[in-house]
Amino acid sequence: MMLSGITLGQYIPGRSFVHRLDPRTKILASAVMIMAVLVCNKPAGYVFLTLGTLLALGFAGTSPRLLVGILRPFWVILTLTLVLQLFFTPGQVLLALGPLHVTREGLVLGGQILWRLILLIVFSSLLTLTTSPLMLTAALESLLKPLQRAGVPAFDLAMMMTIALRFVPTLLEEAQQIIKAQQSRGAVFTRGGLLQRVRGLVPLLVPLFAGAFRRAEELATAMEIRCYRVGANRTRMHQLRYDWRDYAVLAGTGTLFLATLALRWWG
Amino acid sequence: MSHIYHLGQPGERIALQDISGDIRQGELLAIIGPNGSGKSTLARHFNAVLLPTRGTVTVNGLSTADPANRWEIRCRVGMVLQNPDNQLVAAVVEEDVAFGPENLGLPPEEVRRRVDRALALAGLGEQRLRPPHLLSGGQKQRLAIAGALAMKPSCLVLDEPTAMLDPAGRREVIQTLLSLNREEGLTIVLVTHFMEEAVLADRVWVLSGGRLVLEGTPAQVFSHREALQKIGLALPGPAELAWRLRAAGWPVPAGILTLNDLVACLADLLSETGWGQQ
Amino acid sequence: MILVEHLTHIYAPGTPLALTSLEDVSLRIEEGEFVVLAGATGSGKTTLVQHFNGLLLPTAGRVLVDGRDTRDKRVRRDLWRTVGLLFQNPEQQLFEENVFAEVAFGCRNLGLDEGTIEIRVRRALEMVGLEPVRFGTLSPFALSRGQQRRVALAGVLAYRPRVLVLDEPTSGLDPAAREQIWQMLKGMQQHGHTVVVITHHMEDAARYADRVVVLHRGKIYRQGTPRQVFGDPEGLRAVGLDVPMPGELMYRLRQRGLPVNTGILTLDEAEAELKKLAPSGKACPVM
Ligand SMILES: Nc1ncnc2c1ncn2[C@@H]1O[C@H](COP(=O)(O)OP(=O)(O)OP(=O)(O)O)[C@@H](O)[C@H]1O
Ligand SMILES: Nc1ncnc2c1ncn2[C@@H]1O[C@H](COP(=O)(O)OP(=O)(O)OP(=O)(O)O)[C@@H](O)[C@H]1O
Ligand SMILES: [Mg+2]
Ligand SMILES: [Mg+2]
């Protein structure tokens, strides 16, 4: 509730360094960083990547509070991953809790996976947090231009992706709205055990799906009445242009990626 | 521009029946009617969001039924829907307004210019970089208007654009529409529940139960007090007061619709005759 | 009844989107009172009333309903029984498959039996001017917007909360329905309900409110009886509001040098005041 309005995939307008980067740069840089996270397997690599992440967060003007907000929806998955790795990796026993053993290897592996997941979440969120969906479409279109020339309907794919992306916050909003509406007339969502709570969500699902379809239809109408048509030539208010910042960021992430790669092979 | 109707929209229930009429280039047409009388349904026919079940709607000679015409029609006829939430397409106010002009394929500088102008006209300058879904109800309504204005249509259809605005905002929006209509020749179709707004139109259509029951200049339409009241409408405040005074035997002329009319008439009447000077 | 003390509300605090929508608002709403909240677009009306039933919680300050703090989870859980809230947009409130189920939702959660529910739903639909037989089985989403608003309102009325908090219940309604809703609310007040209504219709506010509270940029700007609040046209215009048309008329006639009373709020009062100027003994002047 505290961060209502700031949800997964939500864009937060701003004027930070990262906000002003060319969206294509952001897509490419995020992709490169995600690859770097995936190939990384050395402590030094993690240090590099973490520093890089902190730098990016700093340049995006992200407050620690917002960071917590981004990670919060994932806490179940994150904890579960850590616990599973801790207890179920064979190796040198550090701590025995009855039949369960925490192993040294488990601690290392669990920590690594946890950290990777966090970095991945932060990176993908940073992209959507600092880039408006329409700019993302523009960037995707531009990056996919070679494909379009080859006859793939890349532009429409890009628009579809944007709408899908835009739809995540819309759906969450719809869910929140139905919860609000039901709560204000006496539905209870937060009483009883887990099972009861889950069962309490069922009356939410039917209107949520109905609502999602309605919203989709409304969005289509809204776009059409403003002359949107599939396959038409759109222009952009914001022109995409690379400048020195973009080259610097691309060079930086590229180096980071090569460094983690080098560490993996020779480190 | 002409629209010719003769239509009936389905959905088990008939929402519109046998409506015929035309909207002339450059006029300001107000559509009034009780809840559920079919105003929104009718408005949605004007730019092919809905298609007639029977009959035809034509815009500049183009039939809305022909899919080939639709894009062209929508570029000419802008539309502000009744529910502002339904019209948000982008994640930033400014981009939302730019969406239309971008679809028209205009050059970036022109898009920028139109966006700035539309935001200024709608009084949303301060909100330009905020996410639309976090605006207040009235702010969203202004955004919807800005989005339509930025496309510079030759006809603008607005479905209760002022329902959630404060009195000053309402006056501002109506003033803006009036000046666009008078100075730039924008044809406007205004659906409204504010009789005070309908009075400013060149012509008024009154819908009831899906039928066009009255049509004419505001003075003509608002001379049918009983008929309007029977279907759930009312006279605008000043006209109602004038009617009551006339009913009490005051020599108040017919055709008083606005506050200005009433003030002028009463001031003349009362000072000339020395009434009230006891 | 409802006590608001130094309420400040910030949306999305700690993020770049942070926005202070209410600042140090203190307000007291008495049992059985009819309060109208007015204010320009974005002045914080909706934010304020959503605190009354615990949908929003204060960033600072507190809100007490019947002396109980809304920050307490247990208090909040039962708050809906006391405070019924109508959302500003009907779409925000409607979710059921048909109108009957929609209106019955609150009654179901009260645990009433089917017979009582049916009676209450029918009664509520009649109160908002919808024929139960005709509309009961329709989907709320296949209605006109004005009809949707009425269904949403019926959904709140049906379970009979002691306090009615209504966010623009009459916007988008036709004149007859508007009148009917205001009359009905006045009736509810006479039956002991407390009524809080947000509206942009100054004439209606003047006619029905015991007290008008004007918000401006998240703060209380004016409050008092309609006569007090609407007695200051300049002050109201400065914050995007206006005085009712009859008041404006008298004000302008006065400016033209006619000896009329300017403290006029309703059409009936204006009519009476004007008629005073023409003593019935005198013959009507002919134009
Ligand atoms: N999606 C729909 N499916 C079926 N019937 C509908 C739908 N939308 C509206 N109707 C019905 O069509 C009729 C006309 O609705 P419309 O929305 O045009 O009314 P309106 O004059 O705009 O009313 P309001 O003043 O309340 O906005 C109403 O009886 C309504 O119940
Ligand atoms: N969910 C939200 N997140 C962030 N800001 C919001 C949110 N809802 C409203 N606001 C902002 O808070 C301020 C007050 O909004 P609120 O909805 O309370 O205004 P209002 O007085 O009800 O206006 P209206 O008459 O237009 O409905 C506005 O500036 C609005 O943009
Ligand atoms: Mg309508
Ligand atoms: Mg509001």
Side-chain angles (χ1 to χ4, degrees), chain A residues 141-172:
Chain A
E141 277 180 18
S142 167
L143 291 171
L144 294 176
K145 216 174 236 160
L147 280 179
Q148 179 88 12
R149 288 212 192 91
V152 184
F155 290 178
D156 297 325
L157 284 177
M159 189 46 111
M160 271 159 64
M161 271 167 85
T162 327
I163 291 176
L165 211 60
R166 197 204 97 112
F167 230 68
V168 176
T170 309
L171 266 190
L172 291 177

Side-chain angles (χ1 to χ4, degrees), chain A residues 217, chain B residues 9-16 31-44 50 82 159-160 191-193 207 209-210, chain C residues 134-135 138-150 172-174:
Chain A
E217 213 170 286
Chain B
Q9 172 70 22
E12 288 184 17
R13 284 167 309 152
I14 296 169
L16 291 176
I31 301 182
I32 58 177
N35 293 134
S37 58
K39 302 181 297 298
S40 302
T41 310
L42 178 60
R44 283 167 174 250
L50 289 179
Q82 190 166 9
D159 197 351
E160 298 190 32
V191 176
T192 184
H193 281 303
L207 293 191
Chain C
R134 208 177 128 213
F135 288 94
L138 298 177
S139 157
F141 298 100
L143 296 180
S144 88
R145 195 125 194 276
Q147 291 164 340
Q148 285 180 351
R149 193 175 293 278
R150 299 193 208 186
L173 295 196
D174 57 59

Side-chain angles (χ1 to χ4, degrees), chain B residues 241 245, chain C residues 264 267-277:
Chain B
L241 194 54
L245 291 175
Chain C
I264 296 281
L267 218 54
D268 293 338
E269 284 174 7
E271 187 185 349
E273 179 71 19
L274 285 171
K275 283 183 177 166
K276 265 197 261 164
L277 292 182

Side-chain angles (χ1 to χ4, degrees), chain B residues 35-36 82-83 85 130 136 160 164-166 168 171 193-194 232 237 241 244 248-251 259-260 273 275-276, chain C residues 19 40-41 88-89 91 144-145 150 172 174 176 200-201 240 242 245 248 252 259 268 271 274-275 278 284-285 287:
Chain B
N35 293 134
Q82 190 166 9
N83 177 3
D85 277 302
R130 300 196 53 216
S136 82
E160 298 190 32
M164 282 190 290
L165 296 185
D166 53 69
R171 216 167 27 229
H193 281 303
F194 290 100
L241 194 54
R244 290 195 199 174
W250 287 43
L259 185 57
N260 286 340
T273 57
W275 276 15
Chain C
L19 190 132
T41 281
Q88 183 168 359
N89 276 330
E91 297 77 15
S144 88
R145 195 125 194 276
R150 299 193 208 186
D174 57 59
H200 288 305
H201 290 272
D242 213 338
M245 187 282 292
E248 174 75 15
R252 293 225 220 147
D268 293 338
E271 187 185 349
L274 285 171
K275 283 183 177 166
C284 274
M287 283 193 99

